[in-house]
Amino acid sequence: TQSTWADLAFDLLPDGDYLESGTFIAYLADSSILFIQVVISSVGAFSHEPGISIKHVRDQTHQREMAVKFSKKDIVLEDDGCSLRLKENAFIYNAATNSYHVTIPHQSGNTVGAIDLTFAPGGPSVKAGDGKVHLGDNGKFMRNVFPLPRATVTGTIGWIPEGAKK
């Protein structure tokens, strides 16, 4: 089925476990791949510390990655429930165009380079069933929604040369 605006909203539970993440994948003109993930979680590696991880893969021997953790107080959830800021890093949803604008400046501990990309729909959004993967009979679940499959990606990446002083 097609996902809806409500499927995109972050759901930060004050009294339970949660793991909210957004993954953005860009296939670049040089055949490399850029993975960007923002994670807000009460469990796991980013427990109570939101984070951003970036991985750039050219081939099996040329990869670089970084991960930056933030304080929970750094989370700014916009009124639409779908847009998120972690300090100067922004993951902004545009309902009019059904797109995400991802801005990650070099200054935020980013060792890959300044990122300013827009992910626009390349096809209809997708979710399996109600978009929830149930974790046993305890009422817990995780959402599995693909709002922008095969996204068209535009924008710029200000690469930091590999081996350069950060």
Side-chain angles (χ1 to χ4, degrees):
T1 56
Q2 192 164 341
S3 62
T4 64
W5 179 87
D7 292 319
L8 300 177
F10 289 97
D11 188 13
L12 307 182
L13 304 172
D15 59 350
D17 292 343
Y18 59 86
L19 174 101
E20 292 283 347
S21 68
T23 302
F24 301 86
I25 302 171
Y27 294 89
L28 307 177
D30 66 356
S31 298
S32 65
I33 304 171
L34 182 68
F35 297 91
I36 304 168
Q37 187 171 46
V38 57
V39 178
I40 302 172
S41 177
S42 66
V43 296
F46 288 98
S47 182
H48 300 291
E49 296 177 340
I52 297 172
S53 61
I54 300 172
K55 186 170 190 174
H56 177 233
V57 179
R58 283 193 288 159
D59 57 44
Q60 290 181 346
T61 59
H62 292 91
Q63 300 180 26
R64 51 186 170 164
E65 55 191 304
M66 54 78 63
V68 178
K69 289 186 178 183
F70 298 89
S71 167
K72 194 170 183 177
K73 67 178 175 45
D74 295 329
I75 300 172
V76 175
L77 196 57
E78 301 292 328
D79 290 340
D80 66 6
C82 300
S83 299
L84 173 75
R85 295 179 190 275
L86 290 172
K87 290 194 171 181
E88 64 274 10
N89 305 279
F91 300 82
I92 305 300
Y93 178 68
N94 181 331
T97 60
N98 189 32
S99 63
Y100 262 95
H101 186 193
V102 176
T103 307
I104 304 173
H106 167 61
Q107 296 84 351
S108 61
N110 174 358
T111 58
V112 175
I115 296 169
D116 186 7
L117 299 174
T118 298
F119 292 76
S125 56
V126 177
K127 68 178 177 179
D130 65 359
K132 297 178 181 177
V133 176
H134 295 273
L135 308 172
D137 295 330
N138 59 11
K140 293 184 179 184
F141 65 89
M142 67 178 213
R143 285 186 286 183
N144 196 12
V145 178
F146 302 91
L148 300 173
R150 300 175 305 280
T152 300
V153 182
T154 56
T156 60
I157 303 170
W159 295 115
I160 297 170
E162 291 184 65
K165 212 173 187 185
K166 316 279 185 298

